[in-house]
Amino acid sequence: MGPIETVRERCRKCYSCVRNCPVKAIKVGPEWAEVIHARCIGCGKCLKVCSQQAKVIANCIEGTRRILGEGQNVIAVLGCSYPAFFNDLRPGQLVSGLKKLGFAEVHEGSTGVELIAATYQDLILAPNSAPLISSHCPTIVDLIERHYPQLLRNLMPVVSPMVAIGRFLKERGGPQTRVIYISSCIAGKFEVASEEVAGAIDLVLTYRELSQMFRDQSLDLTRLSDAPFAGRKPDKGRLFPLSGGPFQAFDVRNDFLNPDFISTGGAESCLELIRDLAARRITPRWVDIRFCEGGCIGGPGKNNRLTTFAKRNLVINSYQTQDLPYDSQALYQHEQPLPQLQRRFSNKLKRLEPPNGESVRSILQATNKFVEQDEFDCGACGYPTCREYAVAVYQGLADTEMCLPFSIKRLEEDRVSLTQKYELAQRALAQEYGDPAIIGKDPRTLDVLKLIRQVGPTPTTVLIRGESGTGKELTARAIHEHSSRADKPLVTVNCTTLTDSLLESELFGHKKGSFTGAIADKKGLFEAANGGTIFLDEIGDITPKLQAELLRVLDSGELKPVGGTLPHKVDVRLIAATNRNLEDGVREGWFREDLFYRLNVFTITMPPLRSRRESLPQLVHHFLAAASKRLNKPIRGIEDRAIAALMRYHWPGNIRELQNIIERGSVLTQDNVIRIENLPSIFSQLALEGDDNGNNAENSFRGQREKHLEQVEKSLIRKYLEEARGNVSLAARKANIPRRTFYRILARHGLKGNEFKTSAAP
Ligand SMILES: Nc1ncnc2c1ncn2[C@@H]1O[C@H](COP(=O)(O)OP(=O)(O)OP(=O)(O)O)[C@@H](O)[C@H]1O
């Protein structure tokens, strides 16, 4: 376990940690992105950029409590940047709070800076050949040890201020002394665990962890009175946490024009400097370098409520005021040899095997990058170039799915193929469980069926008109079924559900970059319907701009994706539907006349249900059977009174409304027969009106006509069956009606072919 941990279930694989990690120490697995501790330098960038807080600092609160509970001499050392974190407390109050937590003494970390100051000064001012790199920032030490080991010999062989004070306190206090260092730095947690300085500090807490400990104890520090610090009172060491502060703390005069001395902070600038040094592009005498912007006051555990400059002022103020309470014991004051301040560094580079050119090429090809122009270097994967990303894939740090343009393209292809498969599966289902039959034997429905049969096999564009719920979509399906394209997809698009720009890209596709969010090429539904039929429902709702584009596609048979320049051919039959009056649209200017004529080649107008009432009982029985199947409930029928009431209703929602009412009744019925009470209340009123008139459906003119027609139909069918000696196919041919229709009529009259086997020969 390292100082930065991953809360796996919070990771959403957004790759922002990969993008921001300066040393690519993140490995992306199938479900989460994890820190590789051997490569991590503890800079905390991943903590900052993870919006899900899936990266967290390893918690040292429990460890601190355990040490405090052991009853030894436990000393707290406040890192030099503490005035910039605890800005709303007096330092003495902070000391009081720490003592209430159980710490025996509280020291200022700036003392550690002053312990190493003379050594730094000597080394800096002595003649040396290699540029010296300051080693007081643990992130810089990790960066060089783990990634730039060629600079190990340039690191100043001196411990950090934290280690110096740890050793100093332990030497003075004896072996029982425990030291907890508190700062904004998380790389310090790494540092104390490294074998070169092991034992100097027992644990590193962040300021936030300390604040949590105060909260856990319900300690309100603002109410505490001041307690004194212990140990040596520091002076210029207090300026150390600021950018450039080490020059003050180590008493090194920095001349602005002197190229021998460089001081810098911030990830980019540090990396640039380290690379310059590694490549020997520059040869200064000394570089004072810290990874965090602005110095230690910008550490990952910093106070986020204050700006860098406000924090800088707080630190300067703490140096200038100098009036902190101190109560130092003699053991810290009298002269004694300094602790061991020397340290060595080791090569901790874990080299990952570099791929050869062939491997990089094959990884690039696996993500659709065949020529240089295919390498967008978009950075979405977290790597600045496609090549660096390919190397990371080879080294097991990344996987191919991280390439966003590749993944989007693959999803797009999947979507098109799934749309096609869905359509085919739907048709297979329809064939197995009965086709979506158009029910009705009234003359107007029969006319529609005739038109479907006529236009189906042709390539003609069809415009289906009619009120909502009259069966326009059903008719479009039937036309497709009757066409030679029946084994190809029928893609249905409801034009009202999408905004204009979305609809355009849905229909025709788009090119990458054609609008915000178009991060990869996308194929449109016209393309998904290639070879088949596209059904544009509610075509009256599309805007004039889209009408123009549609007209262009219909006229040329060519598609041009949004943002694309090259058109390409598609073979799609168009069926459109609308319940709006397009002639009004042409007159009023909201529908293009040329498109209207282009669509109005062959029009089928769906009759409203109120004009084909004689088919209502048949539709009711059809929907009853369907509801019975869907609800898995053996619905036996519907009472005559209910049918009569249904016949009297004006059906504004047409067949869809009837279908819904029957399904509702099927749910409500207690005895599997739909009764008037199972229908909406309007039907009870209609039933009463019918009863009052004493004029039920049976006795009405329509009812009588219906009855007689039924009788005539039945006797005709009997005649054909007798002539064909019960051979249904032959009887259907003689009657000149399709066999399936003949069977349906037989079923309706309760007749069976074999009852006529012995009839006289024709
Ligand atoms: N003649 C019919 N026989 C059997 N079912 C029908 C018939 N006409 C319509 N339906 C059924 O009624 C419902 C509505 O039909 P459809 O969706 O085709 O109507 P629509 O005119 O396209 O409606 P909208 O204009 O609201 O889109 C569907 O479930 C359909 O199966």
Side-chain angles (χ1 to χ4, degrees):
M1 219 167 61
I4 299 177
E5 290 168 11
T6 302
V7 187
R8 295 175 170 186
E9 53 284 6
R10 286 198 202 143
C11 177
R12 294 285 172 274
K13 285 182 75 179
C14 66
Y15 312 140
S16 57
C17 54
V18 181
R19 235 183 323 280
N20 288 281
C21 176
V23 289
K24 299 299 172 229
I26 307 278
K27 179 181 162 65
V28 179
E31 286 169 66
W32 57 76
E34 207 157 21
V35 176
I36 308 168
H37 292 120
R39 291 175 66 82
C40 176
I41 57 171
C43 68
K45 291 261 173 222
C46 55
L47 300 167
K48 194 172 158 201
V49 297
C50 181
S51 63
Q52 303 301 307
Q53 272 126 42
K55 299 279 178 293
V56 293
I57 304 175
N59 192 319
C60 290
I61 294 180
E62 272 319 305
T64 305
R65 285 203 184 110
R66 207 188 49 246
I67 292 174
L68 285 168
E70 283 167 2
Q72 288 157 330
N73 179 34
V74 189
I75 300 179
V77 180
L78 282 168
C80 321
S81 59
Y82 81 90
F85 189 91
F86 295 102
N87 61 309
D88 44 5
L89 291 174
R90 293 192 304 276
Q93 288 178 315
L94 195 52
V95 176
S96 284
L98 282 159
K99 292 206 164 164
K100 285 210 177 294
L101 290 180
F103 288 97
E105 294 173 9
V106 181
H107 292 242
E108 282 191 86
S110 319
T111 310
V113 177
E114 295 182 2
L115 289 173
I116 63 170
T119 317
Y120 256 74
Q121 201 180 43
D122 290 349
L123 285 168
I124 293 165
L125 298 179
N128 61 64
S129 51
L132 291 174
I133 302 175
S134 59
S135 58
H136 50 67
C137 169
T139 297
I140 294 294
V141 170
D142 285 330
L143 179 66
I144 292 176
E145 286 193 319
R146 291 165 195 228
H147 298 276
Y148 294 90
Q150 65 270 46
L151 294 177
L152 279 173
R153 63 189 196 93
N154 300 70
L155 274 172
M156 296 180 76
V158 187
V159 293
S160 66
M162 172 175 76
V163 172
I165 190 162
R167 285 186 179 161
F168 171 80
L169 292 172
K170 289 196 173 192
E171 279 176 20
R172 300 288 157 104
Q176 296 299 307
T177 309
R178 296 281 173 268
V179 182
I180 309 283
Y181 197 86
I182 306 157
S183 79
S184 63
C185 178
I186 52 173
K189 296 195 186 221
F190 262 121
E191 187 188 0
V192 295
S194 69
E195 63 170 289
E196 289 87 353
V197 297
I201 298 285
D202 292 279
L203 266 182
V204 174
L205 267 187
T206 60
Y207 297 133
R208 284 202 199 120
E209 285 173 307
L210 177 62
S211 305
Q212 184 63 47
M213 289 181 76
F214 289 140
R215 278 197 296 279
D216 291 348
Q217 297 265 326
S218 306
L219 279 176
D220 179 1
L221 271 62
T222 57
R223 298 166 152 249
L224 299 180
S225 49
D226 290 358
F229 279 97
R232 292 191 187 179
K233 194 169 182 176
D235 182 28
K236 283 190 191 162
R238 285 186 180 142
L239 292 170
F240 178 81
L242 303 179
S243 164
F247 283 91
Q248 302 291 322
F250 303 151
D251 254 335
V252 177
R253 252 197 77 229
N254 184 18
D255 181 349
F256 177 68
L257 295 176
N258 183 359
D260 275 354
F261 295 153
I262 297 176
S263 174
T264 196
E268 272 184 31
S269 164
C270 284
L271 286 168
E272 198 175 21
L273 179 58
I274 292 285
R275 286 189 198 117
D276 273 352
L277 290 168
R280 297 171 187 273
R281 282 189 284 267
I282 52 168
T283 50
R285 172 188 283 270
W286 179 50
V287 297
D288 173 52
I289 175 168
R290 263 178 298 190
F291 204 80
C292 295
E293 191 81 54
C296 303
I297 53 170
K302 64 179 184 247
N303 183 337
N304 289 325
R305 297 184 310 274
L306 299 174
T307 65
T308 306
F309 301 102
K311 283 186 268 203
R312 191 181 148 79
N313 286 348
L314 285 163
V315 170
I316 292 173
N317 191 42
S318 119
Y319 162 67
Q320 285 172 337
T321 315
Q322 299 274 334
D323 62 352
L324 303 187
Y326 258 82
D327 176 14
S328 295
Q329 301 165 38
L331 83 149
Y332 296 125
Q333 302 304 330
H334 62 82
E335 282 304 317
Q336 261 189 32
L338 286 172
Q340 166 63 268
L341 296 178
Q342 291 223 320
R343 84 160 275 189
R344 54 185 179 76
F345 304 95
S346 52
N347 183 345
K348 294 180 182 159
L349 174 71
K350 291 266 180 295
R351 195 178 288 281
L352 298 169
E353 196 201 330
N356 59 24
E358 187 47 44
S359 306
V360 170
R361 229 182 341 273
S362 71
I363 292 170
L364 288 173
Q365 284 174 3
T367 51
N368 289 345
K369 296 165 191 67
F370 299 96
V371 291
E372 218 177 308
Q373 289 88 322
D374 295 336
E375 294 172 33
F376 306 138
D377 294 343
C378 69
C381 60
Y383 290 85
T385 66
C386 295
R387 281 181 184 253
E388 283 173 71
Y389 162 66
V391 172
V393 172
Y394 180 85
Q395 292 175 334
L397 301 179
D399 71 32
T400 47
E401 279 185 9
M402 288 165 67
C403 175
L404 198 61
F406 165 72
S407 287
I408 290 178
K409 185 149 194 292
R410 218 181 48 186
L411 280 177
E412 186 50 34
E413 283 163 4
D414 286 353
R415 190 182 73 104
V416 170
S417 106
L418 280 175
T419 310
Q420 297 207 343
K421 280 190 188 138
Y422 169 75
E423 287 297 334
L424 296 174
Q426 236 190 5
R427 197 157 33 254
L429 269 178
Q431 269 163 14
E432 196 168 336
Y433 295 104
D435 54 17
I438 297 183
I439 306 292
K441 56 186 167 43
D442 60 280
R444 302 192 64 183
T445 305
L446 295 178
D447 279 350
V448 169
L449 288 170
K450 193 169 154 203
L451 292 174
I452 292 171
R453 275 194 296 275
Q454 283 173 338
V455 77
T458 72
T460 307
T461 299
V462 182
L463 178 64
I464 308 172
R465 311 182 68 167
E467 292 175 19
S468 178
T470 46
K472 295 189 290 298
E473 183 171 344
L474 196 64
T475 301
R477 287 196 171 276
I479 294 171
H480 178 73
E481 293 299 328
H482 278 80
S483 75
S484 56
R485 299 164 177 265
D487 61 338
K488 294 277 165 34
L490 166 73
V491 175
T492 298
V493 188
N494 189 322
C495 300
T496 41
T497 51
L498 295 169
T499 61
D500 192 30
S501 52
L502 256 184
L503 184 58
E504 191 174 351
S505 99
E506 274 295 306
L507 288 180
F508 309 123
H510 63 240
K511 295 305 268 179
K512 178 186 169 209
S514 52
F515 53 86
T516 323
I519 42 180
D521 289 359
K522 174 181 169 170
K523 286 184 181 158
L525 291 171
F526 260 92
E527 201 137 352
N530 203 2
T533 307
I534 193 160
F535 172 52
L536 299 184
D537 203 359
E538 315 292 2
I539 197 153
D541 291 351
I542 64 172
T543 58
K545 178 168 171 278
L546 202 55
Q547 289 171 23
E549 188 54 24
L550 185 60
L551 185 67
R552 205 193 55 71
V553 173
L554 293 181
D555 283 344
S556 64
E558 286 184 338
L559 272 188
K560 202 165 72 188
V562 177
T565 44
L566 293 178
H568 57 278
K569 285 257 173 233
V570 278
D571 168 27
V572 176
R573 186 213 196 145
L574 174 71
I575 304 177
T578 182
N579 58 14
R580 300 183 72 178
N581 188 326
L582 296 185
E583 288 83 351
D584 282 353
V586 171
R587 245 190 330 276
E588 291 162 14
W590 50 261
F591 204 81
R592 286 179 72 110
E593 189 172 12
D594 40 11
L595 179 62
F596 174 68
Y597 288 120
R598 186 73 181 68
L599 293 175
N600 202 21
V601 185
F602 192 98
T603 297
I604 300 181
T605 303
M606 301 305 295
L609 179 55
R610 75 189 80 85
S611 74
R612 41 174 159 161
R613 278 180 214 269
E614 55 265 53
S615 290
L616 190 138
Q618 198 190 345
L619 280 163
V620 167
H621 285 105
H622 170 75
F623 291 138
L624 271 182
S628 174
K629 203 165 169 181
R630 191 162 42 246
L631 302 173
N632 202 12
K633 196 169 170 185
I635 310 289
R636 285 180 286 122
I638 177 166
E639 63 177 3
D640 290 348
R641 218 165 144 244
I643 288 274
L646 293 173
M647 293 288 274
R648 277 189 209 105
Y649 183 57
H650 63 292
W651 298 109
N654 293 294
I655 301 182
R656 181 180 292 110
E657 188 181 6
L658 175 65
Q659 186 180 18
N660 292 343
I661 283 173
I662 296 300
E663 174 140 353
R664 178 180 179 274
S666 305
V667 171
L668 293 178
T669 172
Q670 306 272 350
D671 60 355
N672 293 333
V673 172
I674 298 188
R675 305 191 180 278
I676 197 86
E677 307 79 59
N678 306 133
L679 303 179
S681 56
I682 174 86
F683 293 98
S684 302
Q685 281 171 32
L686 289 170
L688 281 177
E689 281 167 24
D691 292 348
D692 288 351
N693 292 341
N695 190 18
N696 65 25
E698 288 261 303
N699 295 330
S700 69
F701 166 75
R702 277 215 192 104
Q704 290 294 329
R705 193 186 67 169
E706 206 49 50
K707 217 159 129 189
H708 281 100
L709 283 175
E710 288 287 320
Q711 278 165 6
V712 170
E713 189 185 69
K714 190 169 178 181
S715 60
L716 266 174
I717 294 294
R718 291 182 70 94
K719 182 173 131 321
Y720 287 123
L721 279 170
E722 279 163 8
E723 286 175 9
R725 287 174 165 249
N727 180 332
V728 180
S729 301
L730 183 60
R733 274 205 301 280
K734 280 175 181 291
N736 198 21
I737 47 177
R739 202 161 55 92
R740 275 170 63 190
T741 315
F742 199 90
Y743 266 116
R744 256 188 248 132
I745 300 172
L746 279 188
R748 207 171 60 242
H749 292 295
L751 298 172
K752 290 212 168 61
N754 54 17
E755 292 170 14
F756 298 86
K757 286 264 190 262
T758 51
S759 302

